[in-house]
Amino acid sequence: MTTITAATPKTVNITTQKIDTQAEFQALIDGTNSLMPNDDPFVLAKRKVTRADLFAEWQSRIDAAKATKSCRLALGAAVAHERQLDGTVKPLRSAFKTFAQSRFGKNAPELQELGFVQNRTPRKSPQKKAAGVAKAQTTRKARGTKGRQQRAAIPGAQPTAQGATPAVTSAAPPGQASAGTAVRS
């Protein structure tokens, strides 16, 4: 059985990138020393650059790559340490919030002084409220539901045939009870 591996890595490996950069500039220094030992100064981009200055620039680039690599490794270690601490500190903070809420109340302003956000009840936007009212009115019309006063204003009860049950219109398919269809007045 053979396993298929992805052609491109999912994460960037900074170590190999920096090693490649270091190798490129080190090859420039080594190759220049071996292939052009007597050339000094070099004319590059219409300006004269001495061998010492050129090598110093290239060496500074190698040093910068090494510094970046060590900083990245230190950053990775710091992030790992921070994540480890989160595992132990977050539950303590949560427990302390519960303790503070029991002492001051769930919506007390003292919670803000401790760095906790007060519990808030979610609010509906005016558009959602208007849509809910329109939907309720449409449902009442479709079902023929009436409030207490409208029912009281009807003179006398409608007689029904013996043994017959009044027809009920429902939005739910037959055999299924629809949740929340009863309207209280």
Side-chain angles (χ1 to χ4, degrees):
M1 178 189 217
T2 60
T3 57
I4 299 172
T5 58
T8 56
K10 292 183 180 178
T11 59
V12 176
N13 189 347
I14 191 71
T15 305
T16 57
Q17 287 179 339
K18 296 304 169 186
I19 289 174
D20 292 345
T21 302
Q22 293 170 18
E24 288 174 359
F25 283 97
Q26 190 60 51
L28 275 174
I29 293 171
D30 295 343
T32 305
N33 279 333
S34 66
L35 296 174
M36 301 173 241
N38 298 326
D39 292 357
D40 193 20
F42 296 95
V43 178
L44 305 172
K46 298 182 183 179
R47 81 171 218 228
K48 288 184 181 182
V49 181
T50 65
R51 176 181 290 271
D53 290 342
L54 187 61
F55 287 3
E57 289 291 326
W58 289 344
Q59 188 60 49
S60 68
R61 181 62 180 95
I62 292 171
D63 295 342
K66 287 178 181 178
T68 301
K69 184 172 86 173
S70 67
C71 287
R72 282 282 182 112
L73 293 173
L75 174 66
V79 168
H81 180 68
E82 183 179 353
R83 287 183 181 157
Q84 177 196 9
L85 286 176
D86 266 352
T88 58
V89 174
K90 278 189 175 183
L92 289 174
R93 183 179 189 275
S94 177
F96 190 80
K97 179 179 181 180
T98 304
F99 170 77
Q101 286 175 338
S102 68
R103 174 167 282 182
F104 300 114
K106 287 195 173 196
N107 293 318
E110 288 86 359
L111 293 175
Q112 287 183 329
E113 291 181 39
L114 294 171
F116 298 114
V117 178
Q118 294 173 341
N119 290 338
R120 294 188 184 110
T121 56
R123 298 193 179 191
K124 288 185 181 178
S125 67
Q127 294 84 6
K128 286 187 178 181
K129 285 182 182 179
V133 168
K135 187 176 177 182
Q137 288 174 346
T138 305
T139 303
R140 284 179 75 106
K141 275 186 187 176
R143 294 187 181 154
T145 355
K146 297 182 179 171
R148 186 180 307 157
Q149 292 175 348
Q150 288 88 0
R151 285 193 307 253
I154 298 173
Q158 296 276 339
T160 60
Q162 284 184 325
T165 57
V168 176
T169 58
S170 173
Q176 290 182 351
S178 59
T181 56
V183 178
R184 294 184 184 182
S185 307

